[in-house]
Amino acid sequence: MTEFPEPVPPERQPEGMASDIVIKAQPDDERVWVPMDENVWFRPLCLHTVEGYWTSLLRVRASGVVSCHRHPAPVHGYVIKGSWRYLEHDWIATEGSYVFEPPGETHTLVVDEDVDEMITWFLVNGAMLYMDRDGNLTGFSDVFQRIEMCREHYIKVGLGADFVNQFIR
Ligand code: FE
């Protein structure tokens, strides 16, 4: 039997520390997934209003263009299931891939026809800037816009306006 030491007592933790988040990333309750488009959902994990980032799972269940967007700040991703790619690159992000997306890049996320479902964890800093094919800004997402999307959806599906609060730091 491995003997563990006593846990560090609560009084040793700094005052004002945020609480941790430990949740089943792929939820049992389908309502937790927030629809973004037909066959496209995101599942919030941590919505950080002070640092201005969010982490979530992106799930896509149809082939096609998910979005064309520009990143003003870095993005990190990890593919949990399926695969996807950017039209601007010759690589494919497959199950188990880690992806770093540098600030400044504009790219078009697509899912190919042989993929039934893709699920990817993303950490998006700052914002997503949605672009048309001519490079004009057509919309954006930031952590506050994501919180609003979640809140509206969770009210609609009966989880309530406060359901999103557990993900906010
Ligand atoms: Fe991207």
PDB file of all heavy atoms in Angstrom, residues 46-55 72-74 123-128 141-144 169:
ATOM      1  N   CYS A  46     -14.161  26.377 -19.441  1.00  0.00           N
ATOM      2  CA  CYS A  46     -13.749  27.498 -18.593  1.00  0.00           C
ATOM      3  C   CYS A  46     -13.891  28.774 -19.405  1.00  0.00           C
ATOM      4  O   CYS A  46     -13.315  28.896 -20.483  1.00  0.00           O
ATOM      5  CB  CYS A  46     -12.309  27.314 -18.125  1.00  0.00           C
ATOM      6  SG  CYS A  46     -11.723  28.672 -17.091  1.00  0.00           S
ATOM      7  N   LEU A  47     -14.668  29.698 -18.870  1.00  0.00           N
ATOM      8  CA  LEU A  47     -14.915  30.971 -19.554  1.00  0.00           C
ATOM      9  C   LEU A  47     -14.269  32.046 -18.690  1.00  0.00           C
ATOM     10  O   LEU A  47     -14.812  32.428 -17.651  1.00  0.00           O
ATOM     11  CB  LEU A  47     -16.426  31.196 -19.692  1.00  0.00           C
ATOM     12  CG  LEU A  47     -17.177  30.064 -20.408  1.00  0.00           C
ATOM     13  CD1 LEU A  47     -18.682  30.184 -20.189  1.00  0.00           C
ATOM     14  CD2 LEU A  47     -16.862  30.054 -21.894  1.00  0.00           C
ATOM     15  N   HIS A  48     -13.081  32.486 -19.102  1.00  0.00           N
ATOM     16  CA  HIS A  48     -12.285  33.337 -18.229  1.00  0.00           C
ATOM     17  C   HIS A  48     -12.425  34.816 -18.576  1.00  0.00           C
ATOM     18  O   HIS A  48     -11.805  35.314 -19.501  1.00  0.00           O
ATOM     19  CB  HIS A  48     -10.822  32.903 -18.275  1.00  0.00           C
ATOM     20  CG  HIS A  48     -10.119  33.187 -16.990  1.00  0.00           C
ATOM     21  ND1 HIS A  48      -9.927  34.464 -16.530  1.00  0.00           N
ATOM     22  CD2 HIS A  48      -9.613  32.358 -16.052  1.00  0.00           C
ATOM     23  CE1 HIS A  48      -9.310  34.410 -15.359  1.00  0.00           C
ATOM     24  NE2 HIS A  48      -9.119  33.142 -15.054  1.00  0.00           N
ATOM     25  N   THR A  49     -13.242  35.506 -17.775  1.00  0.00           N
ATOM     26  CA  THR A  49     -13.549  36.911 -18.077  1.00  0.00           C
ATOM     27  C   THR A  49     -12.409  37.856 -17.723  1.00  0.00           C
ATOM     28  O   THR A  49     -12.350  38.962 -18.252  1.00  0.00           O
ATOM     29  CB  THR A  49     -14.803  37.370 -17.312  1.00  0.00           C
ATOM     30  OG1 THR A  49     -14.540  37.273 -15.903  1.00  0.00           O
ATOM     31  CG2 THR A  49     -16.019  36.525 -17.660  1.00  0.00           C
ATOM     32  N   VAL A  50     -11.518  37.444 -16.827  1.00  0.00           N
ATOM     33  CA  VAL A  50     -10.431  38.342 -16.416  1.00  0.00           C
ATOM     34  C   VAL A  50      -9.246  38.235 -17.377  1.00  0.00           C
ATOM     35  O   VAL A  50      -8.657  39.233 -17.786  1.00  0.00           O
ATOM     36  CB  VAL A  50     -10.002  38.050 -14.961  1.00  0.00           C
ATOM     37  CG1 VAL A  50      -8.814  38.920 -14.567  1.00  0.00           C
ATOM     38  CG2 VAL A  50     -11.173  38.300 -14.005  1.00  0.00           C
ATOM     39  N   GLU A  51      -8.938  37.008 -17.795  1.00  0.00           N
ATOM     40  CA  GLU A  51      -7.835  36.809 -18.737  1.00  0.00           C
ATOM     41  C   GLU A  51      -8.299  36.912 -20.183  1.00  0.00           C
ATOM     42  O   GLU A  51      -7.480  36.980 -21.101  1.00  0.00           O
ATOM     43  CB  GLU A  51      -7.195  35.435 -18.508  1.00  0.00           C
ATOM     44  CG  GLU A  51      -6.600  35.271 -17.118  1.00  0.00           C
ATOM     45  CD  GLU A  51      -5.085  35.410 -17.102  1.00  0.00           C
ATOM     46  OE1 GLU A  51      -4.472  35.342 -18.176  1.00  0.00           O
ATOM     47  OE2 GLU A  51      -4.533  35.597 -16.015  1.00  0.00           O
ATOM     48  N   GLY A  52      -9.603  36.908 -20.394  1.00  0.00           N
ATOM     49  CA  GLY A  52     -10.124  37.074 -21.745  1.00  0.00           C
ATOM     50  C   GLY A  52      -9.907  35.882 -22.651  1.00  0.00           C
ATOM     51  O   GLY A  52      -9.539  36.035 -23.820  1.00  0.00           O
ATOM     52  N   TYR A  53     -10.108  34.692 -22.120  1.00  0.00           N
ATOM     53  CA  TYR A  53     -10.027  33.513 -22.981  1.00  0.00           C
ATOM     54  C   TYR A  53     -11.156  32.557 -22.642  1.00  0.00           C
ATOM     55  O   TYR A  53     -11.833  32.710 -21.615  1.00  0.00           O
ATOM     56  CB  TYR A  53      -8.666  32.803 -22.837  1.00  0.00           C
ATOM     57  CG  TYR A  53      -8.427  32.103 -21.523  1.00  0.00           C
ATOM     58  CD1 TYR A  53      -8.992  30.861 -21.251  1.00  0.00           C
ATOM     59  CD2 TYR A  53      -7.618  32.681 -20.544  1.00  0.00           C
ATOM     60  CE1 TYR A  53      -8.768  30.218 -20.039  1.00  0.00           C
ATOM     61  CE2 TYR A  53      -7.399  32.044 -19.323  1.00  0.00           C
ATOM     62  CZ  TYR A  53      -7.977  30.817 -19.082  1.00  0.00           C
ATOM     63  OH  TYR A  53      -7.767  30.183 -17.890  1.00  0.00           O
ATOM     64  N   TRP A  54     -11.367  31.573 -23.495  1.00  0.00           N
ATOM     65  CA  TRP A  54     -12.292  30.498 -23.142  1.00  0.00           C
ATOM     66  C   TRP A  54     -11.751  29.175 -23.643  1.00  0.00           C
ATOM     67  O   TRP A  54     -11.031  29.122 -24.636  1.00  0.00           O
ATOM     68  CB  TRP A  54     -13.711  30.749 -23.664  1.00  0.00           C
ATOM     69  CG  TRP A  54     -13.910  30.677 -25.140  1.00  0.00           C
ATOM     70  CD1 TRP A  54     -14.364  29.615 -25.853  1.00  0.00           C
ATOM     71  CD2 TRP A  54     -13.703  31.730 -26.110  1.00  0.00           C
ATOM     72  NE1 TRP A  54     -14.452  29.922 -27.189  1.00  0.00           N
ATOM     73  CE2 TRP A  54     -14.049  31.205 -27.369  1.00  0.00           C
ATOM     74  CE3 TRP A  54     -13.256  33.054 -26.022  1.00  0.00           C
ATOM     75  CZ2 TRP A  54     -13.958  31.966 -28.546  1.00  0.00           C
ATOM     76  CZ3 TRP A  54     -13.163  33.807 -27.184  1.00  0.00           C
ATOM     77  CH2 TRP A  54     -13.511  33.266 -28.420  1.00  0.00           C
ATOM     78  N   THR A  55     -12.059  28.116 -22.902  1.00  0.00           N
ATOM     79  CA  THR A  55     -11.755  26.770 -23.369  1.00  0.00           C
ATOM     80  C   THR A  55     -13.080  26.037 -23.513  1.00  0.00           C
ATOM     81  O   THR A  55     -13.995  26.211 -22.710  1.00  0.00           O
ATOM     82  CB  THR A  55     -10.834  25.986 -22.412  1.00  0.00           C
ATOM     83  OG1 THR A  55     -11.555  25.634 -21.245  1.00  0.00           O
ATOM     84  CG2 THR A  55      -9.611  26.772 -22.025  1.00  0.00           C
ATOM     85  N   PRO A  72      -6.655  37.122 -33.409  1.00  0.00           N
ATOM     86  CA  PRO A  72      -5.770  38.186 -32.939  1.00  0.00           C
ATOM     87  C   PRO A  72      -4.818  37.702 -31.852  1.00  0.00           C
ATOM     88  O   PRO A  72      -3.882  38.409 -31.479  1.00  0.00           O
ATOM     89  CB  PRO A  72      -6.750  39.230 -32.390  1.00  0.00           C
ATOM     90  CG  PRO A  72      -7.937  38.447 -31.953  1.00  0.00           C
ATOM     91  CD  PRO A  72      -8.023  37.264 -32.881  1.00  0.00           C
ATOM     92  N   ALA A  73      -5.055  36.510 -31.324  1.00  0.00           N
ATOM     93  CA  ALA A  73      -4.263  35.975 -30.210  1.00  0.00           C
ATOM     94  C   ALA A  73      -4.174  34.457 -30.382  1.00  0.00           C
ATOM     95  O   ALA A  73      -4.975  33.863 -31.111  1.00  0.00           O
ATOM     96  CB  ALA A  73      -4.936  36.341 -28.886  1.00  0.00           C
ATOM     97  N   PRO A  74      -3.199  33.827 -29.731  1.00  0.00           N
ATOM     98  CA  PRO A  74      -2.965  32.404 -29.978  1.00  0.00           C
ATOM     99  C   PRO A  74      -4.096  31.475 -29.548  1.00  0.00           C
ATOM    100  O   PRO A  74      -4.839  31.756 -28.615  1.00  0.00           O
ATOM    101  CB  PRO A  74      -1.702  32.097 -29.175  1.00  0.00           C
ATOM    102  CG  PRO A  74      -1.600  33.176 -28.169  1.00  0.00           C
ATOM    103  CD  PRO A  74      -2.220  34.384 -28.791  1.00  0.00           C
ATOM    104  N   LEU A 123      -8.453  26.150 -26.729  1.00  0.00           N
ATOM    105  CA  LEU A 123      -8.279  27.292 -25.838  1.00  0.00           C
ATOM    106  C   LEU A 123      -8.113  28.494 -26.753  1.00  0.00           C
ATOM    107  O   LEU A 123      -7.124  28.586 -27.482  1.00  0.00           O
ATOM    108  CB  LEU A 123      -7.044  27.112 -24.960  1.00  0.00           C
ATOM    109  CG  LEU A 123      -6.815  28.130 -23.834  1.00  0.00           C
ATOM    110  CD1 LEU A 123      -5.703  27.659 -22.908  1.00  0.00           C
ATOM    111  CD2 LEU A 123      -6.500  29.530 -24.323  1.00  0.00           C
ATOM    112  N   VAL A 124      -9.102  29.370 -26.748  1.00  0.00           N
ATOM    113  CA  VAL A 124      -9.079  30.538 -27.628  1.00  0.00           C
ATOM    114  C   VAL A 124      -8.846  31.787 -26.785  1.00  0.00           C
ATOM    115  O   VAL A 124      -9.620  32.095 -25.876  1.00  0.00           O
ATOM    116  CB  VAL A 124     -10.406  30.680 -28.407  1.00  0.00           C
ATOM    117  CG1 VAL A 124     -10.340  31.890 -29.346  1.00  0.00           C
ATOM    118  CG2 VAL A 124     -10.717  29.419 -29.190  1.00  0.00           C
ATOM    119  N   ASN A 125      -7.768  32.489 -27.084  1.00  0.00           N
ATOM    120  CA  ASN A 125      -7.459  33.731 -26.380  1.00  0.00           C
ATOM    121  C   ASN A 125      -8.062  34.919 -27.111  1.00  0.00           C
ATOM    122  O   ASN A 125      -8.024  34.982 -28.346  1.00  0.00           O
ATOM    123  CB  ASN A 125      -5.940  33.917 -26.302  1.00  0.00           C
ATOM    124  CG  ASN A 125      -5.280  32.934 -25.361  1.00  0.00           C
ATOM    125  OD1 ASN A 125      -5.409  33.050 -24.144  1.00  0.00           O
ATOM    126  ND2 ASN A 125      -4.596  31.941 -25.909  1.00  0.00           N
ATOM    127  N   GLY A 126      -8.587  35.860 -26.360  1.00  0.00           N
ATOM    128  CA  GLY A 126      -9.033  37.130 -26.942  1.00  0.00           C
ATOM    129  C   GLY A 126     -10.332  37.021 -27.690  1.00  0.00           C
ATOM    130  O   GLY A 126     -11.402  37.229 -27.133  1.00  0.00           O
ATOM    131  N   ALA A 127     -10.250  36.683 -28.966  1.00  0.00           N
ATOM    132  CA  ALA A 127     -11.459  36.683 -29.799  1.00  0.00           C
ATOM    133  C   ALA A 127     -11.255  35.823 -31.030  1.00  0.00           C
ATOM    134  O   ALA A 127     -10.135  35.483 -31.399  1.00  0.00           O
ATOM    135  CB  ALA A 127     -11.796  38.107 -30.216  1.00  0.00           C
ATOM    136  N   MET A 128     -12.371  35.477 -31.640  1.00  0.00           N
ATOM    137  CA  MET A 128     -12.387  34.901 -32.982  1.00  0.00           C
ATOM    138  C   MET A 128     -13.004  35.989 -33.848  1.00  0.00           C
ATOM    139  O   MET A 128     -14.075  36.504 -33.519  1.00  0.00           O
ATOM    140  CB  MET A 128     -13.329  33.701 -33.070  1.00  0.00           C
ATOM    141  CG  MET A 128     -13.030  32.567 -32.155  1.00  0.00           C
ATOM    142  SD  MET A 128     -12.181  31.248 -32.997  1.00  0.00           S
ATOM    143  CE  MET A 128     -13.363  30.690 -34.202  1.00  0.00           C
ATOM    144  N   SER A 141     -16.451  36.598 -31.867  1.00  0.00           N
ATOM    145  CA  SER A 141     -16.783  35.943 -30.602  1.00  0.00           C
ATOM    146  C   SER A 141     -15.737  36.370 -29.600  1.00  0.00           C
ATOM    147  O   SER A 141     -14.552  36.388 -29.941  1.00  0.00           O
ATOM    148  CB  SER A 141     -16.651  34.424 -30.737  1.00  0.00           C
ATOM    149  OG  SER A 141     -17.880  33.811 -30.890  1.00  0.00           O
ATOM    150  N   ASP A 142     -16.150  36.690 -28.386  1.00  0.00           N
ATOM    151  CA  ASP A 142     -15.194  36.787 -27.289  1.00  0.00           C
ATOM    152  C   ASP A 142     -15.824  36.077 -26.099  1.00  0.00           C
ATOM    153  O   ASP A 142     -16.929  35.527 -26.218  1.00  0.00           O
ATOM    154  CB  ASP A 142     -14.789  38.238 -26.986  1.00  0.00           C
ATOM    155  CG  ASP A 142     -15.936  39.106 -26.507  1.00  0.00           C
ATOM    156  OD1 ASP A 142     -17.026  38.562 -26.205  1.00  0.00           O
ATOM    157  OD2 ASP A 142     -15.749  40.331 -26.407  1.00  0.00           O
ATOM    158  N   VAL A 143     -15.125  36.057 -24.994  1.00  0.00           N
ATOM    159  CA  VAL A 143     -15.618  35.259 -23.867  1.00  0.00           C
ATOM    160  C   VAL A 143     -16.989  35.759 -23.388  1.00  0.00           C
ATOM    161  O   VAL A 143     -17.845  34.955 -23.002  1.00  0.00           O
ATOM    162  CB  VAL A 143     -14.578  35.199 -22.718  1.00  0.00           C
ATOM    163  CG1 VAL A 143     -14.352  36.568 -22.084  1.00  0.00           C
ATOM    164  CG2 VAL A 143     -15.001  34.182 -21.659  1.00  0.00           C
ATOM    165  N   PHE A 144     -17.231  37.054 -23.491  1.00  0.00           N
ATOM    166  CA  PHE A 144     -18.513  37.590 -23.032  1.00  0.00           C
ATOM    167  C   PHE A 144     -19.653  37.201 -23.973  1.00  0.00           C
ATOM    168  O   PHE A 144     -20.762  36.895 -23.537  1.00  0.00           O
ATOM    169  CB  PHE A 144     -18.410  39.114 -22.868  1.00  0.00           C
ATOM    170  CG  PHE A 144     -17.372  39.493 -21.858  1.00  0.00           C
ATOM    171  CD1 PHE A 144     -16.110  39.899 -22.259  1.00  0.00           C
ATOM    172  CD2 PHE A 144     -17.633  39.379 -20.507  1.00  0.00           C
ATOM    173  CE1 PHE A 144     -15.133  40.215 -21.321  1.00  0.00           C
ATOM    174  CE2 PHE A 144     -16.667  39.694 -19.555  1.00  0.00           C
ATOM    175  CZ  PHE A 144     -15.410  40.107 -19.972  1.00  0.00           C
ATOM    176  N   ARG A 169     -14.847  32.125 -14.650  1.00  0.00           N
ATOM    177  CA  ARG A 169     -13.857  32.532 -13.653  1.00  0.00           C
ATOM    178  C   ARG A 169     -13.435  33.958 -13.947  1.00  0.00           C
ATOM    179  O   ARG A 169     -13.704  34.477 -15.009  1.00  0.00           O
ATOM    180  CB  ARG A 169     -12.625  31.608 -13.676  1.00  0.00           C
ATOM    181  CG  ARG A 169     -12.913  30.201 -13.186  1.00  0.00           C
ATOM    182  CD  ARG A 169     -13.305  30.185 -11.712  1.00  0.00           C
ATOM    183  NE  ARG A 169     -13.584  28.858 -11.203  1.00  0.00           N
ATOM    184  CZ  ARG A 169     -14.789  28.249 -11.283  1.00  0.00           C
ATOM    185  NH1 ARG A 169     -15.796  28.851 -11.890  1.00  0.00           N
ATOM    186  NH2 ARG A 169     -14.963  27.056 -10.793  1.00  0.00           N
TER     187      ARG A 169
END
